[in-house]
Amino acid sequence: MGEIAAKVLIVGGGPGGYVAAIRAGQLGLDTVLVEQNGLGGTCLNVGCIPSKALIHAAEAFSHAVEQATSAPFGLKVERPTIDFARTVEWKDGIVGRLTSGVGALLKRHNVKIVHGHGVMLDGKTCQVAADTGPQTIRAEHVVLATGSQAVSLAALPFGGRVISSTEALSLPSVPESLAVVGAGYIGLELGTAFAKLGAKVTVIEAEDRILPLYDAELGRPVARRLQALGVEVLTGARATGLSQSGDALLVEQAGAATRNLTADKFLVAVGRRPYVAGLGLERLDLAMNGAFVRIDERCSTSMRNVWAVGDLTGEPMLAHRAMAQGAMVAEIIAGAARVFDKVAIPAVCFTDPEIVTAGLSPEEARKAGHEVHTGLFPFQANGRALTLRAEDGFVRVTARADNHLILGIAAVGAGVSELAAAFGLALEMGARLEDIAGTIHAHPTLGEAFHEANLRILGEALHI
Ligand SMILES: Cc1cc2nc3c(=O)[nH]c(=O)nc-3n(C[C@H](O)[C@H](O)[C@H](O)COP(=O)(O)OP(=O)(O)OC[C@H]3O[C@@H](n4cnc5c(N)ncnc54)[C@H](O)[C@@H]3O)c2cc1C
C-alpha cells in the first residue's frame, strides 16, 4: 500500500477540482488530485464541451439543409447529408485535446494525479484503489469536488432505450425518433440538436411551459423555434413509465387519455444530483443542505479544513461557478482572505436561440424589494441580427429606479452567449445605466442591443 502526504488533497478532477489543483500548484502548495474517470469531469467529457460540439454540428447541418431547400441568400447547396460517425469523432477529438491539455497544465504546476476511486476514511485521509495499487493519501486540507450525475426516474431507470445526456452525446447514429423527458436546458439543447440532425423529437415537460426556471418572456423565442423545427412539445405532461414491449413511453396529460409515445430513444433529462456514491461521506461529519454538501461563503464545510466546491454544493450547477470556487479555495488554503461574493454568475442556455441571464430578473428584483425599470431592445431593430438572419430575440436590462444601478441583464437570440462576458462585467463592476449608455459599442454587433436597452430606460433609445 502506497502512502502519500500532501498539503492539499482534491477529490474529483472536474472544473472545480482541476482548477483548484492548478491554482494550488501555482501557489506552491504540495497538491494531489484524485480522479476516477477522465480529467475535466462532466464538463469536458460528457457535458459542456461535447454538447456544444454536437449543437454546432447540428446547426451547421440545418443551415445547409435550409440553403438546399430555400436558399434565402442565394447559396446553392444540393441535398446535404451527414456522416454522424465523423461528427462524433470530431467531437471526441475536441474532448481529447482539452482533457490532455488539463493533464499537461496539472503536470506543469507539479500536481500529482492519482487515477482511481477515492474513499474518505476521515477528514484528512483518502484511500484510492489506484491503477498502480492501493494508495493512502493524507493531507492537511481536503477539497471535495466530486460533482454530480444525472437523476433517473423510478419509473424509467436508465438502460436500453432509456438514456441520460451522457449516452445521448455518444450515440452511434442519429435516432429516427427521440423523446426527451424534461424541458430544462440540457433536454432542450440536446433535443434541438437531434431535431436539426433529422430526428423526430417530442419533448415532455411536467410544468406548463418549457424552461420553467427561466422567466416566460425568455422562453418564447425558443418555443417558436422548436415549433418551426417540428419538435412536438407536451407541457403539463408526465412520463409515467414504459409500455410492456418497452418501445413506447407512457405519457399522462391532464384531460387526455394516456398516450403511448413510441421512439427509438428516451432521453431523461430531469436534473442532476450530487455524486457521492462510495465517497465515504458517512465517515465524515458534514452538515448537509438537502442532498448537497453545505458550505459557507468560503466554501468551507462544517469540518475544519474540509472544503467543497462545484455541483456537489448545489445550484447553480455550472462549470464556471465550480472553477471560481476551486480557484478561491486554493487561495484561501495558501493564506489569502477571500470570500465568494460574486454579484452575478451568468448562465447560458445553448438552445436555439440562445439565452443568457446575469443577475436578477425583473420579478426577482421586485421581490427583493426594489423599485425597478426595465428596458428591452428587440433584435429586429439591430442591423447585425438582420445580417445573421436572426431577428427573433432581445436584450433586457433591469435597473433600480432610484439610482439606476443595473441589477440584471438577460438576452435571447442567436449567438448571445458571447454577450455573457459584457453582462457579467457590467454587474460585477456595479455599472449604472449611464455607464453603459456612455460606452461606445462597436457597430454592427449584437452588443449594440445592450447599449440600446440601457438607453431605452433613460428615454434616449436611438434605433427604436
Ligand atoms: C449535458 C450537459 C451539458 C452541460 N453544459 C454546461 C454548459 O454549457 N455550461 C456550464 O457552465 N455547465 C454545463 N453543464 C454543467 C457542468 O458540466 C457542471 O456544472 C460541472 O462539470 C461541475 O463541475 P464539478 O467540478 O463540480 O463536477 P464534475 O465536472 O462532475 O466533476 C467531478 C469529477 O469527480 C470525479 N469523482 C466523483 N467521485 C469520485 C471519487 N470518489 N473518486 C475520484 N473521483 C471522483 C468524477 O469522475 C468527475 O470527473 C452541463 C452538464 C451536462 C450534463
Side-chain angles (χ1 to χ4, degrees), residues 12 14-16 35-37 41-43 47-48 51-52 116-118 145-148 165 185-186 272 275 279 310-311 317-320 350:
E35 170 56 57
Q36 62 189 4
N37 294 323
T42 303
C43 172
C48 322
S51 64
K52 267 79 254 183
H117 178 81
T146 54
S148 64
S165 57
Y185 87 92
I186 292 179
R272 297 184 64 80
Y275 187 77
L279 179 61
D311 285 9
M317 289 196 246
L318 292 168
H320 41 284
F350 289 83

PDB file of all heavy atoms in Angstrom, residues 12 14-16 35-37 41-43 47-48 51-52 116-118 145-148 165 185-186 272 275 279 310-311 317-320 350, ligand 1:
ATOM      1  N   GLY A  12     -11.766  14.589  -7.157  1.00  0.00           N
ATOM      2  CA  GLY A  12     -12.596  14.955  -8.303  1.00  0.00           C
ATOM      3  C   GLY A  12     -11.854  15.921  -9.216  1.00  0.00           C
ATOM      4  O   GLY A  12     -11.422  16.985  -8.763  1.00  0.00           O
ATOM      5  N   GLY A  14     -12.994  17.473 -12.092  1.00  0.00           N
ATOM      6  CA  GLY A  14     -13.813  18.305 -12.976  1.00  0.00           C
ATOM      7  C   GLY A  14     -13.359  19.758 -12.875  1.00  0.00           C
ATOM      8  O   GLY A  14     -12.305  20.056 -12.299  1.00  0.00           O
ATOM      9  N   PRO A  15     -14.157  20.688 -13.423  1.00  0.00           N
ATOM     10  CA  PRO A  15     -13.759  22.101 -13.403  1.00  0.00           C
ATOM     11  C   PRO A  15     -13.478  22.639 -11.999  1.00  0.00           C
ATOM     12  O   PRO A  15     -12.585  23.468 -11.820  1.00  0.00           O
ATOM     13  CB  PRO A  15     -14.956  22.830 -14.009  1.00  0.00           C
ATOM     14  CG  PRO A  15     -15.741  21.809 -14.714  1.00  0.00           C
ATOM     15  CD  PRO A  15     -15.428  20.474 -14.118  1.00  0.00           C
ATOM     16  N   GLY A  16     -14.239  22.180 -11.003  1.00  0.00           N
ATOM     17  CA  GLY A  16     -13.990  22.631  -9.632  1.00  0.00           C
ATOM     18  C   GLY A  16     -12.659  22.105  -9.138  1.00  0.00           C
ATOM     19  O   GLY A  16     -11.799  22.864  -8.661  1.00  0.00           O
ATOM     20  N   GLU A  35      -8.794  11.343  -9.366  1.00  0.00           N
ATOM     21  CA  GLU A  35      -9.889  11.308 -10.347  1.00  0.00           C
ATOM     22  C   GLU A  35     -10.085   9.865 -10.815  1.00  0.00           C
ATOM     23  O   GLU A  35      -9.140   9.198 -11.206  1.00  0.00           O
ATOM     24  CB  GLU A  35      -9.576  12.234 -11.530  1.00  0.00           C
ATOM     25  CG  GLU A  35     -10.522  12.109 -12.714  1.00  0.00           C
ATOM     26  CD  GLU A  35     -11.992  12.315 -12.373  1.00  0.00           C
ATOM     27  OE1 GLU A  35     -12.363  13.365 -11.837  1.00  0.00           O
ATOM     28  OE2 GLU A  35     -12.801  11.383 -12.653  1.00  0.00           O
ATOM     29  N   GLN A  36     -11.358   9.443 -10.811  1.00  0.00           N
ATOM     30  CA  GLN A  36     -11.638   8.052 -11.158  1.00  0.00           C
ATOM     31  C   GLN A  36     -11.846   7.833 -12.661  1.00  0.00           C
ATOM     32  O   GLN A  36     -11.650   6.749 -13.171  1.00  0.00           O
ATOM     33  CB  GLN A  36     -12.867   7.554 -10.408  1.00  0.00           C
ATOM     34  CG  GLN A  36     -14.122   8.330 -10.752  1.00  0.00           C
ATOM     35  CD  GLN A  36     -15.309   7.997  -9.878  1.00  0.00           C
ATOM     36  OE1 GLN A  36     -15.182   7.224  -8.936  1.00  0.00           O
ATOM     37  NE2 GLN A  36     -16.448   8.570 -10.187  1.00  0.00           N
ATOM     38  N   ASN A  37     -12.277   8.907 -13.354  1.00  0.00           N
ATOM     39  CA  ASN A  37     -12.503   8.786 -14.796  1.00  0.00           C
ATOM     40  C   ASN A  37     -11.566   9.740 -15.531  1.00  0.00           C
ATOM     41  O   ASN A  37     -10.414   9.849 -15.198  1.00  0.00           O
ATOM     42  CB  ASN A  37     -13.969   9.075 -15.139  1.00  0.00           C
ATOM     43  CG  ASN A  37     -14.901   8.018 -14.570  1.00  0.00           C
ATOM     44  OD1 ASN A  37     -14.550   6.843 -14.541  1.00  0.00           O
ATOM     45  ND2 ASN A  37     -16.057   8.421 -14.120  1.00  0.00           N
ATOM     46  N   GLY A  41     -13.745  16.090 -15.839  1.00  0.00           N
ATOM     47  CA  GLY A  41     -15.051  15.788 -15.252  1.00  0.00           C
ATOM     48  C   GLY A  41     -16.191  15.764 -16.244  1.00  0.00           C
ATOM     49  O   GLY A  41     -16.014  15.520 -17.441  1.00  0.00           O
ATOM     50  N   THR A  42     -17.375  16.033 -15.724  1.00  0.00           N
ATOM     51  CA  THR A  42     -18.587  16.068 -16.543  1.00  0.00           C
ATOM     52  C   THR A  42     -18.413  17.075 -17.670  1.00  0.00           C
ATOM     53  O   THR A  42     -18.711  16.808 -18.835  1.00  0.00           O
ATOM     54  CB  THR A  42     -19.787  16.496 -15.664  1.00  0.00           C
ATOM     55  OG1 THR A  42     -19.889  15.582 -14.568  1.00  0.00           O
ATOM     56  CG2 THR A  42     -21.087  16.503 -16.451  1.00  0.00           C
ATOM     57  N   CYS A  43     -17.939  18.251 -17.308  1.00  0.00           N
ATOM     58  CA  CYS A  43     -17.866  19.368 -18.247  1.00  0.00           C
ATOM     59  C   CYS A  43     -17.126  19.012 -19.533  1.00  0.00           C
ATOM     60  O   CYS A  43     -17.669  19.135 -20.630  1.00  0.00           O
ATOM     61  CB  CYS A  43     -17.187  20.537 -17.535  1.00  0.00           C
ATOM     62  SG  CYS A  43     -16.805  21.906 -18.611  1.00  0.00           S
ATOM     63  N   GLY A  47     -20.352  16.765 -20.845  1.00  0.00           N
ATOM     64  CA  GLY A  47     -21.238  17.898 -20.524  1.00  0.00           C
ATOM     65  C   GLY A  47     -21.061  19.056 -21.483  1.00  0.00           C
ATOM     66  O   GLY A  47     -21.292  18.933 -22.683  1.00  0.00           O
ATOM     67  N   CYS A  48     -20.587  20.176 -20.937  1.00  0.00           N
ATOM     68  CA  CYS A  48     -20.500  21.443 -21.681  1.00  0.00           C
ATOM     69  C   CYS A  48     -19.885  21.274 -23.062  1.00  0.00           C
ATOM     70  O   CYS A  48     -20.474  21.676 -24.069  1.00  0.00           O
ATOM     71  CB  CYS A  48     -19.640  22.452 -20.919  1.00  0.00           C
ATOM     72  SG  CYS A  48     -19.815  22.439 -19.138  1.00  0.00           S
ATOM     73  N   SER A  51     -21.462  18.621 -25.663  1.00  0.00           N
ATOM     74  CA  SER A  51     -22.812  19.049 -26.066  1.00  0.00           C
ATOM     75  C   SER A  51     -22.732  20.246 -27.004  1.00  0.00           C
ATOM     76  O   SER A  51     -23.448  20.325 -27.994  1.00  0.00           O
ATOM     77  CB  SER A  51     -23.700  19.340 -24.839  1.00  0.00           C
ATOM     78  OG  SER A  51     -23.200  20.425 -24.102  1.00  0.00           O
ATOM     79  N   LYS A  52     -21.801  21.165 -26.727  1.00  0.00           N
ATOM     80  CA  LYS A  52     -21.714  22.338 -27.611  1.00  0.00           C
ATOM     81  C   LYS A  52     -21.155  21.958 -28.977  1.00  0.00           C
ATOM     82  O   LYS A  52     -21.520  22.545 -29.997  1.00  0.00           O
ATOM     83  CB  LYS A  52     -20.868  23.428 -26.967  1.00  0.00           C
ATOM     84  CG  LYS A  52     -21.687  24.436 -26.182  1.00  0.00           C
ATOM     85  CD  LYS A  52     -22.113  23.991 -24.815  1.00  0.00           C
ATOM     86  CE  LYS A  52     -23.530  23.617 -24.635  1.00  0.00           C
ATOM     87  NZ  LYS A  52     -23.874  23.255 -23.251  1.00  0.00           N
ATOM     88  N   GLY A 116      -8.101   6.830  -9.899  1.00  0.00           N
ATOM     89  CA  GLY A 116      -8.823   5.784  -9.187  1.00  0.00           C
ATOM     90  C   GLY A 116      -9.936   6.390  -8.355  1.00  0.00           C
ATOM     91  O   GLY A 116     -10.051   7.614  -8.226  1.00  0.00           O
ATOM     92  N   HIS A 117     -10.761   5.508  -7.798  1.00  0.00           N
ATOM     93  CA  HIS A 117     -11.894   5.955  -6.992  1.00  0.00           C
ATOM     94  C   HIS A 117     -11.415   6.261  -5.571  1.00  0.00           C
ATOM     95  O   HIS A 117     -10.805   5.408  -4.916  1.00  0.00           O
ATOM     96  CB  HIS A 117     -12.965   4.860  -6.988  1.00  0.00           C
ATOM     97  CG  HIS A 117     -14.147   5.213  -6.158  1.00  0.00           C
ATOM     98  ND1 HIS A 117     -15.147   6.034  -6.630  1.00  0.00           N
ATOM     99  CD2 HIS A 117     -14.474   4.891  -4.885  1.00  0.00           C
ATOM    100  CE1 HIS A 117     -16.055   6.180  -5.668  1.00  0.00           C
ATOM    101  NE2 HIS A 117     -15.667   5.495  -4.597  1.00  0.00           N
ATOM    102  N   GLY A 118     -11.719   7.440  -5.089  1.00  0.00           N
ATOM    103  CA  GLY A 118     -11.292   7.831  -3.751  1.00  0.00           C
ATOM    104  C   GLY A 118     -12.379   7.601  -2.716  1.00  0.00           C
ATOM    105  O   GLY A 118     -13.551   7.903  -2.959  1.00  0.00           O
ATOM    106  N   ALA A 145     -14.701  17.643  -4.565  1.00  0.00           N
ATOM    107  CA  ALA A 145     -15.158  18.226  -5.841  1.00  0.00           C
ATOM    108  C   ALA A 145     -15.680  17.104  -6.732  1.00  0.00           C
ATOM    109  O   ALA A 145     -15.289  16.983  -7.887  1.00  0.00           O
ATOM    110  CB  ALA A 145     -13.997  18.961  -6.508  1.00  0.00           C
ATOM    111  N   THR A 146     -16.565  16.290  -6.170  1.00  0.00           N
ATOM    112  CA  THR A 146     -16.962  15.067  -6.887  1.00  0.00           C
ATOM    113  C   THR A 146     -18.139  15.280  -7.830  1.00  0.00           C
ATOM    114  O   THR A 146     -18.577  14.335  -8.494  1.00  0.00           O
ATOM    115  CB  THR A 146     -17.290  13.933  -5.885  1.00  0.00           C
ATOM    116  OG1 THR A 146     -18.263  14.418  -4.958  1.00  0.00           O
ATOM    117  CG2 THR A 146     -16.046  13.488  -5.147  1.00  0.00           C
ATOM    118  N   GLY A 147     -18.678  16.503  -7.887  1.00  0.00           N
ATOM    119  CA  GLY A 147     -19.619  16.830  -8.953  1.00  0.00           C
ATOM    120  C   GLY A 147     -21.006  16.236  -8.814  1.00  0.00           C
ATOM    121  O   GLY A 147     -21.521  16.040  -7.706  1.00  0.00           O
ATOM    122  N   SER A 148     -21.587  15.937  -9.960  1.00  0.00           N
ATOM    123  CA  SER A 148     -22.990  15.488  -9.966  1.00  0.00           C
ATOM    124  C   SER A 148     -23.193  14.431 -11.036  1.00  0.00           C
ATOM    125  O   SER A 148     -22.331  14.208 -11.894  1.00  0.00           O
ATOM    126  CB  SER A 148     -23.904  16.678 -10.263  1.00  0.00           C
ATOM    127  OG  SER A 148     -23.645  17.173 -11.569  1.00  0.00           O
ATOM    128  N   SER A 165     -28.040  12.157 -20.630  1.00  0.00           N
ATOM    129  CA  SER A 165     -27.310  13.025 -21.557  1.00  0.00           C
ATOM    130  C   SER A 165     -25.973  12.393 -21.947  1.00  0.00           C
ATOM    131  O   SER A 165     -25.492  12.574 -23.061  1.00  0.00           O
ATOM    132  CB  SER A 165     -27.096  14.410 -20.925  1.00  0.00           C
ATOM    133  OG  SER A 165     -26.425  14.304 -19.695  1.00  0.00           O
ATOM    134  N   TYR A 185     -32.620  23.094 -19.570  1.00  0.00           N
ATOM    135  CA  TYR A 185     -31.666  23.446 -20.622  1.00  0.00           C
ATOM    136  C   TYR A 185     -30.988  22.234 -21.246  1.00  0.00           C
ATOM    137  O   TYR A 185     -30.783  22.195 -22.467  1.00  0.00           O
ATOM    138  CB  TYR A 185     -30.664  24.507 -20.136  1.00  0.00           C
ATOM    139  CG  TYR A 185     -29.431  23.995 -19.435  1.00  0.00           C
ATOM    140  CD1 TYR A 185     -28.264  23.734 -20.140  1.00  0.00           C
ATOM    141  CD2 TYR A 185     -29.410  23.790 -18.059  1.00  0.00           C
ATOM    142  CE1 TYR A 185     -27.121  23.274 -19.497  1.00  0.00           C
ATOM    143  CE2 TYR A 185     -28.283  23.346 -17.413  1.00  0.00           C
ATOM    144  CZ  TYR A 185     -27.130  23.075 -18.133  1.00  0.00           C
ATOM    145  OH  TYR A 185     -26.010  22.623 -17.497  1.00  0.00           O
ATOM    146  N   ILE A 186     -30.680  21.202 -20.461  1.00  0.00           N
ATOM    147  CA  ILE A 186     -29.965  20.054 -21.046  1.00  0.00           C
ATOM    148  C   ILE A 186     -30.872  19.316 -22.038  1.00  0.00           C
ATOM    149  O   ILE A 186     -30.480  18.996 -23.162  1.00  0.00           O
ATOM    150  CB  ILE A 186     -29.436  19.119 -19.936  1.00  0.00           C
ATOM    151  CG1 ILE A 186     -28.327  19.829 -19.159  1.00  0.00           C
ATOM    152  CG2 ILE A 186     -28.922  17.804 -20.532  1.00  0.00           C
ATOM    153  CD1 ILE A 186     -27.718  19.042 -18.004  1.00  0.00           C
ATOM    154  N   ARG A 272     -29.946  16.991 -12.022  1.00  0.00           N
ATOM    155  CA  ARG A 272     -28.724  16.311 -11.596  1.00  0.00           C
ATOM    156  C   ARG A 272     -28.651  16.320 -10.082  1.00  0.00           C
ATOM    157  O   ARG A 272     -29.228  17.177  -9.426  1.00  0.00           O
ATOM    158  CB  ARG A 272     -27.500  17.003 -12.218  1.00  0.00           C
ATOM    159  CG  ARG A 272     -27.527  16.908 -13.749  1.00  0.00           C
ATOM    160  CD  ARG A 272     -26.297  17.484 -14.384  1.00  0.00           C
ATOM    161  NE  ARG A 272     -25.061  16.806 -14.063  1.00  0.00           N
ATOM    162  CZ  ARG A 272     -24.619  15.669 -14.622  1.00  0.00           C
ATOM    163  NH1 ARG A 272     -25.354  15.054 -15.534  1.00  0.00           N
ATOM    164  NH2 ARG A 272     -23.469  15.134 -14.272  1.00  0.00           N
ATOM    165  N   TYR A 275     -22.834  13.770  -6.714  1.00  0.00           N
ATOM    166  CA  TYR A 275     -22.220  12.458  -6.901  1.00  0.00           C
ATOM    167  C   TYR A 275     -21.417  12.116  -5.652  1.00  0.00           C
ATOM    168  O   TYR A 275     -20.306  12.616  -5.461  1.00  0.00           O
ATOM    169  CB  TYR A 275     -21.316  12.486  -8.131  1.00  0.00           C
ATOM    170  CG  TYR A 275     -20.787  11.126  -8.480  1.00  0.00           C
ATOM    171  CD1 TYR A 275     -21.599  10.201  -9.129  1.00  0.00           C
ATOM    172  CD2 TYR A 275     -19.497  10.747  -8.147  1.00  0.00           C
ATOM    173  CE1 TYR A 275     -21.133   8.936  -9.421  1.00  0.00           C
ATOM    174  CE2 TYR A 275     -19.024   9.483  -8.436  1.00  0.00           C
ATOM    175  CZ  TYR A 275     -19.844   8.588  -9.072  1.00  0.00           C
ATOM    176  OH  TYR A 275     -19.388   7.326  -9.351  1.00  0.00           O
ATOM    177  N   LEU A 279     -18.154   7.513  -1.692  1.00  0.00           N
ATOM    178  CA  LEU A 279     -17.145   8.513  -1.309  1.00  0.00           C
ATOM    179  C   LEU A 279     -16.775   8.408   0.175  1.00  0.00           C
ATOM    180  O   LEU A 279     -15.760   8.928   0.605  1.00  0.00           O
ATOM    181  CB  LEU A 279     -17.689   9.920  -1.644  1.00  0.00           C
ATOM    182  CG  LEU A 279     -16.827  11.120  -1.311  1.00  0.00           C
ATOM    183  CD1 LEU A 279     -15.486  11.067  -2.066  1.00  0.00           C
ATOM    184  CD2 LEU A 279     -17.546  12.425  -1.676  1.00  0.00           C
ATOM    185  N   GLY A 310     -18.211  23.273  -6.389  1.00  0.00           N
ATOM    186  CA  GLY A 310     -18.869  22.776  -7.599  1.00  0.00           C
ATOM    187  C   GLY A 310     -20.246  22.179  -7.362  1.00  0.00           C
ATOM    188  O   GLY A 310     -20.928  22.485  -6.375  1.00  0.00           O
ATOM    189  N   ASP A 311     -20.640  21.322  -8.296  1.00  0.00           N
ATOM    190  CA  ASP A 311     -22.003  20.773  -8.290  1.00  0.00           C
ATOM    191  C   ASP A 311     -22.355  20.081  -6.978  1.00  0.00           C
ATOM    192  O   ASP A 311     -23.530  20.050  -6.580  1.00  0.00           O
ATOM    193  CB  ASP A 311     -22.160  19.755  -9.431  1.00  0.00           C
ATOM    194  CG  ASP A 311     -22.290  20.425 -10.797  1.00  0.00           C
ATOM    195  OD1 ASP A 311     -22.081  21.651 -10.880  1.00  0.00           O
ATOM    196  OD2 ASP A 311     -22.597  19.721 -11.777  1.00  0.00           O
ATOM    197  N   MET A 317     -25.606  24.768 -10.764  1.00  0.00           N
ATOM    198  CA  MET A 317     -24.616  23.757 -11.144  1.00  0.00           C
ATOM    199  C   MET A 317     -24.046  24.144 -12.502  1.00  0.00           C
ATOM    200  O   MET A 317     -24.560  23.749 -13.540  1.00  0.00           O
ATOM    201  CB  MET A 317     -25.269  22.384 -11.181  1.00  0.00           C
ATOM    202  CG  MET A 317     -25.603  21.862  -9.805  1.00  0.00           C
ATOM    203  SD  MET A 317     -25.936  20.102  -9.836  1.00  0.00           S
ATOM    204  CE  MET A 317     -27.641  20.117  -9.414  1.00  0.00           C
ATOM    205  N   LEU A 318     -23.002  24.935 -12.472  1.00  0.00           N
ATOM    206  CA  LEU A 318     -22.388  25.448 -13.694  1.00  0.00           C
ATOM    207  C   LEU A 318     -20.871  25.337 -13.576  1.00  0.00           C
ATOM    208  O   LEU A 318     -20.306  25.535 -12.488  1.00  0.00           O
ATOM    209  CB  LEU A 318     -22.772  26.917 -13.902  1.00  0.00           C
ATOM    210  CG  LEU A 318     -24.246  27.186 -14.214  1.00  0.00           C
ATOM    211  CD1 LEU A 318     -24.561  28.662 -14.117  1.00  0.00           C
ATOM    212  CD2 LEU A 318     -24.614  26.636 -15.595  1.00  0.00           C
ATOM    213  N   ALA A 319     -20.245  25.063 -14.712  1.00  0.00           N
ATOM    214  CA  ALA A 319     -18.801  24.836 -14.704  1.00  0.00           C
ATOM    215  C   ALA A 319     -18.031  26.063 -14.209  1.00  0.00           C
ATOM    216  O   ALA A 319     -17.072  25.943 -13.442  1.00  0.00           O
ATOM    217  CB  ALA A 319     -18.350  24.460 -16.108  1.00  0.00           C
ATOM    218  N   HIS A 320     -18.461  27.257 -14.648  1.00  0.00           N
ATOM    219  CA  HIS A 320     -17.672  28.448 -14.286  1.00  0.00           C
ATOM    220  C   HIS A 320     -17.825  28.793 -12.815  1.00  0.00           C
ATOM    221  O   HIS A 320     -16.926  29.386 -12.220  1.00  0.00           O
ATOM    222  CB  HIS A 320     -18.026  29.640 -15.181  1.00  0.00           C
ATOM    223  CG  HIS A 320     -19.489  29.782 -15.477  1.00  0.00           C
ATOM    224  ND1 HIS A 320     -20.147  28.984 -16.373  1.00  0.00           N
ATOM    225  CD2 HIS A 320     -20.417  30.617 -14.971  1.00  0.00           C
ATOM    226  CE1 HIS A 320     -21.425  29.349 -16.418  1.00  0.00           C
ATOM    227  NE2 HIS A 320     -21.616  30.330 -15.561  1.00  0.00           N
ATOM    228  N   PHE A 350     -27.776  26.992 -24.254  1.00  0.00           N
ATOM    229  CA  PHE A 350     -27.377  26.946 -25.669  1.00  0.00           C
ATOM    230  C   PHE A 350     -28.480  26.332 -26.525  1.00  0.00           C
ATOM    231  O   PHE A 350     -28.248  25.404 -27.298  1.00  0.00           O
ATOM    232  CB  PHE A 350     -26.058  26.193 -25.819  1.00  0.00           C
ATOM    233  CG  PHE A 350     -24.877  26.959 -25.281  1.00  0.00           C
ATOM    234  CD1 PHE A 350     -24.574  26.936 -23.920  1.00  0.00           C
ATOM    235  CD2 PHE A 350     -24.076  27.721 -26.119  1.00  0.00           C
ATOM    236  CE1 PHE A 350     -23.490  27.643 -23.405  1.00  0.00           C
ATOM    237  CE2 PHE A 350     -22.989  28.443 -25.605  1.00  0.00           C
ATOM    238  CZ  PHE A 350     -22.704  28.401 -24.262  1.00  0.00           C
TER     239      PHE A 350
HETATM  240  C1  LIG B   1     -25.061  17.666 -20.994  1.00  0.00           C
HETATM  241  C2  LIG B   1     -24.524  18.735 -20.070  1.00  0.00           C
HETATM  242  C3  LIG B   1     -24.246  19.996 -20.569  1.00  0.00           C
HETATM  243  C4  LIG B   1     -23.752  20.986 -19.729  1.00  0.00           C
HETATM  244  N1  LIG B   1     -23.497  22.214 -20.264  1.00  0.00           N
HETATM  245  C5  LIG B   1     -22.994  23.189 -19.470  1.00  0.00           C
HETATM  246  C6  LIG B   1     -22.672  24.461 -20.013  1.00  0.00           C
HETATM  247  O1  LIG B   1     -22.851  24.720 -21.210  1.00  0.00           O
HETATM  248  N2  LIG B   1     -22.143  25.396 -19.175  1.00  0.00           N
HETATM  249  C7  LIG B   1     -21.930  25.142 -17.835  1.00  0.00           C
HETATM  250  O2  LIG B   1     -21.442  26.011 -17.129  1.00  0.00           O
HETATM  251  N3  LIG B   1     -22.230  23.939 -17.298  1.00  0.00           N
HETATM  252  C8  LIG B   1     -22.751  22.960 -18.091  1.00  0.00           C
HETATM  253  N4  LIG B   1     -23.010  21.729 -17.548  1.00  0.00           N
HETATM  254  C9  LIG B   1     -22.786  21.530 -16.100  1.00  0.00           C
HETATM  255  C10 LIG B   1     -21.282  21.318 -15.821  1.00  0.00           C
HETATM  256  O3  LIG B   1     -20.834  20.209 -16.551  1.00  0.00           O
HETATM  257  C11 LIG B   1     -21.068  21.105 -14.332  1.00  0.00           C
HETATM  258  O4  LIG B   1     -21.614  22.203 -13.621  1.00  0.00           O
HETATM  259  C12 LIG B   1     -19.582  20.994 -13.987  1.00  0.00           C
HETATM  260  O5  LIG B   1     -18.965  19.940 -14.687  1.00  0.00           O
HETATM  261  C13 LIG B   1     -19.407  20.798 -12.473  1.00  0.00           C
HETATM  262  O6  LIG B   1     -18.061  20.681 -12.174  1.00  0.00           O
HETATM  263  P1  LIG B   1     -17.592  19.875 -10.868  1.00  0.00           P
HETATM  264  O7  LIG B   1     -16.109  20.003 -10.845  1.00  0.00           O
HETATM  265  O8  LIG B   1     -18.364  20.295  -9.705  1.00  0.00           O
HETATM  266  O9  LIG B   1     -18.023  18.356 -11.139  1.00  0.00           O
HETATM  267  P2  LIG B   1     -17.810  17.340 -12.324  1.00  0.00           P
HETATM  268  O10 LIG B   1     -17.497  18.021 -13.597  1.00  0.00           O
HETATM  269  O11 LIG B   1     -18.994  16.441 -12.302  1.00  0.00           O
HETATM  270  O12 LIG B   1     -16.501  16.547 -11.919  1.00  0.00           O
HETATM  271  C14 LIG B   1     -16.455  15.716 -10.803  1.00  0.00           C
HETATM  272  C15 LIG B   1     -15.405  14.662 -11.026  1.00  0.00           C
HETATM  273  O13 LIG B   1     -15.228  13.940  -9.818  1.00  0.00           O
HETATM  274  C16 LIG B   1     -14.978  12.578 -10.127  1.00  0.00           C
HETATM  275  N5  LIG B   1     -15.308  11.787  -8.943  1.00  0.00           N
HETATM  276  C17 LIG B   1     -16.513  11.671  -8.330  1.00  0.00           C
HETATM  277  N6  LIG B   1     -16.412  10.898  -7.239  1.00  0.00           N
HETATM  278  C18 LIG B   1     -15.113  10.499  -7.176  1.00  0.00           C
HETATM  279  C19 LIG B   1     -14.393   9.698  -6.267  1.00  0.00           C
HETATM  280  N7  LIG B   1     -14.978   9.165  -5.174  1.00  0.00           N
HETATM  281  N8  LIG B   1     -13.080   9.489  -6.514  1.00  0.00           N
HETATM  282  C20 LIG B   1     -12.474  10.033  -7.594  1.00  0.00           C
HETATM  283  N9  LIG B   1     -13.102  10.806  -8.470  1.00  0.00           N
HETATM  284  C21 LIG B   1     -14.410  11.055  -8.255  1.00  0.00           C
HETATM  285  C22 LIG B   1     -15.896  12.323 -11.306  1.00  0.00           C
HETATM  286  O14 LIG B   1     -15.447  11.203 -12.047  1.00  0.00           O
HETATM  287  C23 LIG B   1     -15.776  13.632 -12.076  1.00  0.00           C
HETATM  288  O15 LIG B   1     -14.771  13.565 -13.059  1.00  0.00           O
HETATM  289  C24 LIG B   1     -23.509  20.709 -18.359  1.00  0.00           C
HETATM  290  C25 LIG B   1     -23.764  19.430 -17.851  1.00  0.00           C
HETATM  291  C26 LIG B   1     -24.263  18.451 -18.684  1.00  0.00           C
HETATM  292  C27 LIG B   1     -24.541  17.089 -18.121  1.00  0.00           C
END
